[in-house]
Amino acid sequence: MDELLFSCVMGTAAGILGTGLGGIIGFVLNNPGRRFLSTLLNFSAGLMIAVVCFDLLPEAFEIGGFGVSIGGVCLGVVMIIACDEAITSWRSDFKRNTASISQYIKTGILLGIGIALHNFPEGLAIGSGFTAMESYGVGLSLVIAFHDVPEGIAMAAPMRIGGMGRWKVFLAAVIAGVPTGIGALVGYLLGEISPYFISLCLGFAGGAMLYITCLELIPRSRDLYRGRIPGLGLIMGVIAGILVSSLL
């Protein structure tokens, strides 16, 4: 039981520390210019594209095969479309901010959902890792915590741009990391998880994040500012994401 509790604590800590550190960017942003905001959104989009394409999906393909992974991607896209429609409907009923401000917050919420979905199978990996060897589970927790930092940045940036308070942004980033601990509990209890289930979950999260990146983050950045520097921010984000993935 002590090892079960330890695996849950490590899984929760990995998710919360990773996305929480990324969410600290909400404390840094304070009335920045439109060009800077556009560049930051593009950088966040580049990070997400690289993490999904060079880390998350290849891992899903390796674990469960191409077909299951792509099926998960399609399911993730459909789920986020449904969430998008639900949030849009909710926003039309409670118009407290301008449409543009609400759009950025909606983007951050959707990205937070995608990150939370991604964190659950990461927790499964941590929990099943502890059943094999405690040192492996601890090492995997540290790697995943580092991996989640750029995801927290990508989530926090649009929320802060939309006018959400610093502490609310940070709290949202922390909450997005909690499913890692839940996944660690499930992973430890089940021991050897079906590789197809893990692959489906990873593909699901990848599809959700790709949809949000391509249909939310990048279009919002172009609404703020059109120019070369934000485009370079996208390229630098992809490069940074590749570097992060190569360290895992």
Side-chain angles (χ1 to χ4, degrees):
M1 182 61 68
D2 290 340
E3 192 170 281
L4 170 62
L5 178 62
F6 184 56
S7 67
C8 292
V9 170
M10 288 299 296
T12 304
I16 288 177
L17 285 176
T19 56
L21 285 172
I24 290 177
I25 192 173
F27 291 88
V28 178
L29 293 178
N30 186 24
N31 297 323
R34 294 173 68 87
R35 183 170 65 177
F36 174 79
L37 293 177
S38 178
T39 303
L40 180 60
L41 281 181
N42 266 324
F43 182 81
S44 300
L47 279 173
M48 294 307 302
I49 289 172
V51 168
V52 170
C53 294
F54 296 100
D55 177 34
L56 198 156
L57 291 183
E59 182 179 355
F61 296 152
E62 182 178 352
I63 292 174
F66 181 81
V68 175
S69 303
I70 292 299
V73 170
C74 296
L75 288 174
V77 171
V78 171
M79 194 280 295
I80 287 297
I81 290 175
C83 290
D84 192 353
E85 292 296 325
I87 293 173
T88 300
S89 175
W90 174 83
R91 196 180 68 247
S92 65
D93 294 333
F94 300 92
K95 291 185 177 178
R96 300 175 181 175
N97 298 315
T98 64
S100 61
I101 289 177
S102 298
Q103 285 289 341
Y104 290 112
I105 294 178
K106 184 195 76 170
T107 299
I109 292 172
L110 287 173
L111 196 53
I113 293 172
I115 290 169
L117 291 170
H118 177 203
N119 283 342
F120 179 75
E122 287 185 341
L124 290 176
I126 292 174
S128 54
F130 270 101
T131 62
M133 186 183 301
E134 182 175 308
S135 60
Y136 178 70
V138 172
L140 194 58
S141 299
L142 295 175
V143 168
I144 286 174
F146 178 70
H147 170 282
D148 285 347
V149 173
E151 295 178 359
I153 293 173
M155 175 184 172
M159 286 183 169
R160 189 69 186 111
I161 291 169
M164 185 178 284
R166 290 182 173 89
W167 283 104
K168 288 183 178 180
V169 170
F170 177 71
L171 181 61
V174 167
I175 291 173
V178 171
T180 311
I182 299 173
L185 172 62
V186 174
Y188 188 91
L189 291 175
L190 295 182
E192 294 184 359
I193 307 293
S194 167
Y196 297 107
F197 176 71
I198 296 177
S199 177
L200 184 70
C201 289
L202 289 172
F204 192 91
M209 289 190 282
L210 280 178
Y211 176 90
I212 297 159
T213 300
C214 297
L215 276 79
E216 293 286 338
L217 283 177
I218 295 176
R220 297 283 169 264
S221 69
R222 290 184 63 81
D223 289 342
L224 281 170
Y225 187 88
R226 293 173 181 264
R228 182 174 297 169
I229 293 179
L232 291 173
L234 179 63
I235 295 171
M236 294 304 297
V238 171
I239 294 173
I242 292 172
L243 290 175
V244 170
S245 298
S246 68
L247 295 174
L248 300 180

